[in-house]
Short mmCIF file of all heavy atoms in Angstrom, two decimals:
data_model
loop_
_atom_site.label_atom_id
_atom_site.label_comp_id
_atom_site.label_asym_id
_atom_site.label_seq_id
_atom_site.Cartn_x
_atom_site.Cartn_y
_atom_site.Cartn_z
N TYR S 1 215.64 25.67 131.81
CA TYR S 1 214.97 24.38 131.78
C TYR S 1 215.71 23.37 132.65
O TYR S 1 216.94 23.28 132.62
CB TYR S 1 214.88 23.84 130.35
CG TYR S 1 213.85 24.56 129.51
CD1 TYR S 1 214.24 25.45 128.52
CD2 TYR S 1 212.49 24.34 129.71
CE1 TYR S 1 213.30 26.12 127.75
CE2 TYR S 1 211.54 25.00 128.95
CZ TYR S 1 211.95 25.88 127.97
OH TYR S 1 211.02 26.55 127.22
N MET S 2 214.94 22.60 133.41
CA MET S 2 215.54 21.58 134.27
C MET S 2 215.59 20.22 133.58
O MET S 2 216.42 19.38 133.95
CB MET S 2 214.73 21.46 135.57
CG MET S 2 214.76 22.72 136.43
SD MET S 2 213.99 22.46 138.05
CE MET S 2 212.27 22.31 137.57
N ASN S 3 214.71 19.98 132.63
CA ASN S 3 214.67 18.67 131.97
C ASN S 3 215.06 18.79 130.50
O ASN S 3 214.35 18.36 129.59
CB ASN S 3 213.28 18.05 132.10
CG ASN S 3 212.18 18.92 131.51
OD1 ASN S 3 212.36 20.12 131.32
ND2 ASN S 3 211.05 18.32 131.20
N LYS S 4 216.25 19.36 130.27
CA LYS S 4 216.68 19.69 128.90
C LYS S 4 217.46 18.55 128.24
O LYS S 4 218.51 18.77 127.62
CB LYS S 4 217.49 20.98 128.91
CG LYS S 4 218.66 21.01 129.87
CD LYS S 4 219.33 22.39 129.87
CE LYS S 4 220.57 22.43 130.73
NZ LYS S 4 220.31 22.17 132.15
N ASP S 5 216.94 17.34 128.35
CA ASP S 5 217.50 16.19 127.64
C ASP S 5 216.40 15.15 127.49
O ASP S 5 215.32 15.27 128.08
CB ASP S 5 218.71 15.61 128.39
CG ASP S 5 218.39 15.25 129.84
OD1 ASP S 5 217.40 14.52 130.07
OD2 ASP S 5 219.11 15.70 130.74
N LEU S 6 216.68 14.12 126.71
CA LEU S 6 215.65 13.12 126.44
C LEU S 6 215.54 12.07 127.54
O LEU S 6 214.70 11.17 127.45
CB LEU S 6 215.91 12.46 125.08
CG LEU S 6 215.68 13.39 123.89
CD1 LEU S 6 215.96 12.66 122.58
CD2 LEU S 6 214.27 13.95 123.88
N ALA S 7 216.37 12.19 128.58
CA ALA S 7 216.18 11.33 129.75
C ALA S 7 215.08 11.88 130.65
O ALA S 7 214.31 11.12 131.24
CB ALA S 7 217.49 11.22 130.54
N GLU S 8 214.99 13.21 130.73
CA GLU S 8 214.02 13.84 131.63
C GLU S 8 212.83 14.48 130.89
O GLU S 8 211.77 14.64 131.49
CB GLU S 8 214.72 14.92 132.48
CG GLU S 8 215.84 14.37 133.36
CD GLU S 8 215.33 13.37 134.38
OE1 GLU S 8 214.17 13.50 134.81
OE2 GLU S 8 216.08 12.45 134.73
N TYR S 9 213.03 14.89 129.65
CA TYR S 9 211.90 15.37 128.86
C TYR S 9 211.29 14.14 128.19
O TYR S 9 211.84 13.59 127.23
CB TYR S 9 212.36 16.38 127.81
CG TYR S 9 211.22 16.98 127.00
CD1 TYR S 9 210.59 18.14 127.43
CD2 TYR S 9 210.78 16.38 125.83
CE1 TYR S 9 209.53 18.68 126.71
CE2 TYR S 9 209.74 16.90 125.10
CZ TYR S 9 209.11 18.06 125.54
OH TYR S 9 208.06 18.59 124.82
N HIS S 10 210.18 13.69 128.71
CA HIS S 10 209.65 12.39 128.32
C HIS S 10 208.82 12.47 127.04
O HIS S 10 207.95 13.34 126.90
CB HIS S 10 208.81 11.81 129.45
CG HIS S 10 209.60 11.54 130.69
ND1 HIS S 10 209.04 11.44 131.94
CD2 HIS S 10 210.93 11.34 130.87
CE1 HIS S 10 209.98 11.21 132.84
NE2 HIS S 10 211.13 11.14 132.20
N VAL S 11 209.10 11.56 126.12
CA VAL S 11 208.31 11.41 124.90
C VAL S 11 207.93 9.93 124.78
O VAL S 11 208.58 9.05 125.36
CB VAL S 11 209.11 11.85 123.65
CG1 VAL S 11 209.44 13.33 123.73
CG2 VAL S 11 210.39 11.03 123.49
N PRO S 12 206.86 9.64 124.05
CA PRO S 12 206.44 8.24 123.92
C PRO S 12 207.48 7.39 123.20
O PRO S 12 208.13 7.85 122.26
CB PRO S 12 205.15 8.33 123.09
CG PRO S 12 204.70 9.74 123.22
CD PRO S 12 205.94 10.56 123.37
N VAL S 13 207.64 6.17 123.65
CA VAL S 13 208.50 5.19 122.99
C VAL S 13 207.60 4.04 122.53
O VAL S 13 206.39 4.07 122.71
CB VAL S 13 209.61 4.70 123.94
CG1 VAL S 13 210.54 5.84 124.31
CG2 VAL S 13 209.03 4.08 125.21
N CYS S 14 208.21 3.02 121.95
CA CYS S 14 207.42 1.92 121.39
C CYS S 14 206.51 1.27 122.45
O CYS S 14 205.37 0.92 122.16
CB CYS S 14 208.35 0.87 120.78
SG CYS S 14 209.16 1.43 119.27
N ALA S 15 207.01 1.14 123.67
CA ALA S 15 206.23 0.51 124.73
C ALA S 15 204.99 1.32 125.10
O ALA S 15 204.03 0.78 125.66
CB ALA S 15 207.10 0.30 125.97
N ASP S 16 205.00 2.62 124.80
CA ASP S 16 203.85 3.48 125.11
C ASP S 16 202.84 3.52 123.98
O ASP S 16 201.73 4.04 124.16
CB ASP S 16 204.34 4.91 125.38
CG ASP S 16 205.34 5.00 126.51
OD1 ASP S 16 205.02 4.51 127.61
OD2 ASP S 16 206.43 5.55 126.28
N THR S 17 203.22 3.01 122.82
CA THR S 17 202.39 3.18 121.63
C THR S 17 201.27 2.16 121.62
O THR S 17 201.50 0.95 121.67
CB THR S 17 203.25 3.03 120.36
OG1 THR S 17 204.32 3.97 120.41
CG2 THR S 17 202.41 3.28 119.12
N PRO S 18 200.03 2.61 121.55
CA PRO S 18 198.89 1.70 121.56
C PRO S 18 198.59 1.15 120.17
O PRO S 18 199.27 1.47 119.19
CB PRO S 18 197.75 2.61 122.03
CG PRO S 18 198.10 3.94 121.44
CD PRO S 18 199.61 4.02 121.49
N ASP S 19 197.56 0.37 120.08
CA ASP S 19 197.02 -0.04 118.79
C ASP S 19 196.36 1.18 118.16
O ASP S 19 195.45 1.78 118.75
CB ASP S 19 196.01 -1.17 118.97
CG ASP S 19 195.34 -1.55 117.66
OD1 ASP S 19 196.05 -1.93 116.73
OD2 ASP S 19 194.10 -1.44 117.58
N ILE S 20 196.83 1.57 116.98
CA ILE S 20 196.31 2.77 116.31
C ILE S 20 195.67 2.36 115.00
O ILE S 20 196.32 1.81 114.11
CB ILE S 20 197.43 3.80 116.05
CG1 ILE S 20 198.12 4.19 117.36
CG2 ILE S 20 196.86 5.05 115.37
CD1 ILE S 20 199.37 5.04 117.16
N ASP S 21 194.39 2.61 114.88
CA ASP S 21 193.64 2.29 113.68
C ASP S 21 193.36 3.58 112.93
O ASP S 21 192.69 4.48 113.44
CB ASP S 21 192.33 1.60 114.08
CG ASP S 21 191.63 0.96 112.89
OD1 ASP S 21 192.06 1.19 111.75
OD2 ASP S 21 190.64 0.24 113.11
N VAL S 22 193.90 3.70 111.73
CA VAL S 22 193.76 4.92 110.93
C VAL S 22 192.72 4.70 109.84
O VAL S 22 192.81 3.75 109.06
CB VAL S 22 195.10 5.34 110.30
CG1 VAL S 22 194.92 6.57 109.43
CG2 VAL S 22 196.13 5.60 111.39
N ILE S 23 191.73 5.57 109.81
CA ILE S 23 190.71 5.55 108.76
C ILE S 23 190.89 6.80 107.91
O ILE S 23 190.79 7.92 108.41
CB ILE S 23 189.29 5.53 109.36
CG1 ILE S 23 189.09 4.29 110.24
CG2 ILE S 23 188.24 5.57 108.25
CD1 ILE S 23 187.78 4.31 111.03
N LEU S 24 191.16 6.62 106.64
CA LEU S 24 191.30 7.73 105.71
C LEU S 24 190.06 7.77 104.83
O LEU S 24 189.79 6.83 104.08
CB LEU S 24 192.56 7.57 104.87
CG LEU S 24 193.88 7.54 105.66
CD1 LEU S 24 195.04 7.11 104.76
CD2 LEU S 24 194.17 8.90 106.28
N ILE S 25 189.27 8.83 104.94
CA ILE S 25 188.01 8.92 104.20
C ILE S 25 188.27 8.89 102.70
O ILE S 25 187.52 8.28 101.93
CB ILE S 25 187.24 10.19 104.59
CG1 ILE S 25 186.95 10.18 106.11
CG2 ILE S 25 185.95 10.31 103.80
CD1 ILE S 25 186.16 9.00 106.60
N ASP S 26 189.35 9.53 102.25
CA ASP S 26 189.84 9.42 100.87
C ASP S 26 188.80 9.85 99.83
O ASP S 26 188.55 9.15 98.86
CB ASP S 26 190.32 7.98 100.59
CG ASP S 26 191.21 7.90 99.35
OD1 ASP S 26 191.64 8.95 98.86
OD2 ASP S 26 191.47 6.77 98.89
N LYS S 27 188.21 11.02 100.05
CA LYS S 27 187.30 11.60 99.06
C LYS S 27 187.92 12.89 98.54
O LYS S 27 188.29 13.76 99.32
CB LYS S 27 185.93 11.86 99.66
CG LYS S 27 185.14 10.59 99.94
CD LYS S 27 183.70 10.90 100.29
CE LYS S 27 182.89 9.61 100.44
NZ LYS S 27 181.47 9.89 100.74
N PRO S 28 188.04 13.04 97.21
CA PRO S 28 188.73 14.21 96.66
C PRO S 28 188.05 15.52 97.01
O PRO S 28 186.82 15.60 97.06
CB PRO S 28 188.69 13.96 95.14
CG PRO S 28 188.43 12.50 94.99
CD PRO S 28 187.61 12.10 96.16
N ASP S 29 188.87 16.54 97.25
CA ASP S 29 188.38 17.90 97.37
C ASP S 29 188.36 18.50 95.96
O ASP S 29 189.41 18.56 95.31
CB ASP S 29 189.29 18.72 98.29
CG ASP S 29 188.76 20.11 98.55
OD1 ASP S 29 188.71 20.90 97.59
OD2 ASP S 29 188.41 20.42 99.70
N PRO S 30 187.22 18.96 95.49
CA PRO S 30 187.14 19.43 94.09
C PRO S 30 187.62 20.85 93.86
O PRO S 30 187.65 21.31 92.72
CB PRO S 30 185.63 19.33 93.80
CG PRO S 30 184.99 19.60 95.13
CD PRO S 30 185.91 18.99 96.16
N ILE S 31 188.03 21.55 94.92
CA ILE S 31 188.27 22.99 94.82
C ILE S 31 189.74 23.36 94.95
O ILE S 31 190.29 24.14 94.16
CB ILE S 31 187.45 23.75 95.88
CG1 ILE S 31 185.96 23.46 95.74
CG2 ILE S 31 187.74 25.25 95.83
CD1 ILE S 31 185.36 23.89 94.43
N ILE S 32 190.43 22.85 95.98
CA ILE S 32 191.69 23.44 96.40
C ILE S 32 192.81 23.24 95.40
O ILE S 32 193.60 24.15 95.13
CB ILE S 32 192.10 22.88 97.78
CG1 ILE S 32 191.05 23.27 98.83
CG2 ILE S 32 193.47 23.43 98.21
CD1 ILE S 32 191.33 22.70 100.21
N ASP S 33 192.92 22.04 94.83
CA ASP S 33 194.05 21.75 93.93
C ASP S 33 193.62 20.70 92.92
O ASP S 33 192.61 20.03 93.10
CB ASP S 33 195.26 21.26 94.74
CG ASP S 33 194.95 19.99 95.53
OD1 ASP S 33 194.97 18.90 94.94
OD2 ASP S 33 194.66 20.09 96.74
N PRO S 34 194.39 20.53 91.85
CA PRO S 34 193.97 19.61 90.78
C PRO S 34 194.02 18.14 91.16
O PRO S 34 193.40 17.32 90.49
CB PRO S 34 194.95 19.92 89.64
CG PRO S 34 196.13 20.56 90.29
CD PRO S 34 195.59 21.30 91.46
N MET S 35 194.77 17.79 92.23
CA MET S 35 194.83 16.38 92.64
C MET S 35 193.68 15.96 93.54
O MET S 35 193.43 14.79 93.74
CB MET S 35 196.15 16.09 93.37
CG MET S 35 197.41 16.31 92.55
SD MET S 35 197.90 18.04 92.62
CE MET S 35 198.27 18.26 94.36
N GLY S 36 192.99 16.94 94.14
CA GLY S 36 191.91 16.62 95.08
C GLY S 36 192.38 16.41 96.50
O GLY S 36 191.62 15.92 97.34
N ALA S 37 193.64 16.79 96.80
CA ALA S 37 194.20 16.57 98.13
C ALA S 37 193.86 17.73 99.07
O ALA S 37 193.50 18.83 98.63
CB ALA S 37 195.71 16.41 98.04
N LYS S 38 193.97 17.46 100.37
CA LYS S 38 193.90 18.48 101.40
C LYS S 38 195.06 18.24 102.37
O LYS S 38 195.77 17.25 102.29
CB LYS S 38 192.57 18.44 102.15
CG LYS S 38 191.37 18.83 101.32
CD LYS S 38 190.15 19.19 102.17
CE LYS S 38 189.54 18.02 102.87
NZ LYS S 38 188.25 18.37 103.53
N GLY S 39 195.24 19.18 103.31
CA GLY S 39 196.34 19.07 104.26
C GLY S 39 196.18 17.87 105.17
O GLY S 39 195.10 17.60 105.68
N LEU S 40 197.30 17.16 105.42
CA LEU S 40 197.25 15.95 106.23
C LEU S 40 198.23 15.93 107.39
O LEU S 40 197.99 15.31 108.42
CB LEU S 40 197.54 14.73 105.32
CG LEU S 40 197.60 13.36 106.00
CD1 LEU S 40 196.26 13.02 106.63
CD2 LEU S 40 198.01 12.29 105.01
N GLY S 41 199.36 16.63 107.28
CA GLY S 41 200.45 16.46 108.23
C GLY S 41 200.09 16.75 109.67
O GLY S 41 200.67 16.17 110.58
N GLU S 42 199.14 17.67 109.90
CA GLU S 42 198.86 18.10 111.27
C GLU S 42 197.49 17.70 111.79
O GLU S 42 197.28 17.61 113.01
CB GLU S 42 199.04 19.62 111.37
CG GLU S 42 200.47 20.01 111.57
CD GLU S 42 200.95 21.15 110.68
OE1 GLU S 42 200.57 21.20 109.51
OE2 GLU S 42 201.70 21.98 111.17
N ILE S 43 196.53 17.45 110.92
CA ILE S 43 195.15 17.25 111.36
C ILE S 43 195.02 16.09 112.36
O ILE S 43 194.21 16.14 113.28
CB ILE S 43 194.21 17.05 110.14
CG1 ILE S 43 192.76 16.88 110.61
CG2 ILE S 43 194.65 15.87 109.29
CD1 ILE S 43 192.21 18.05 111.36
#
């Protein structure tokens, strides 16, 4: 790898972050688990 540090491997910083509006539908799933939750971390 030629860009094996955080100076050359570019990731977003605060200046790159746009206005992000998150809408959570928040309706229980009646099947998967007793709390009504579903997976969130990756979707």
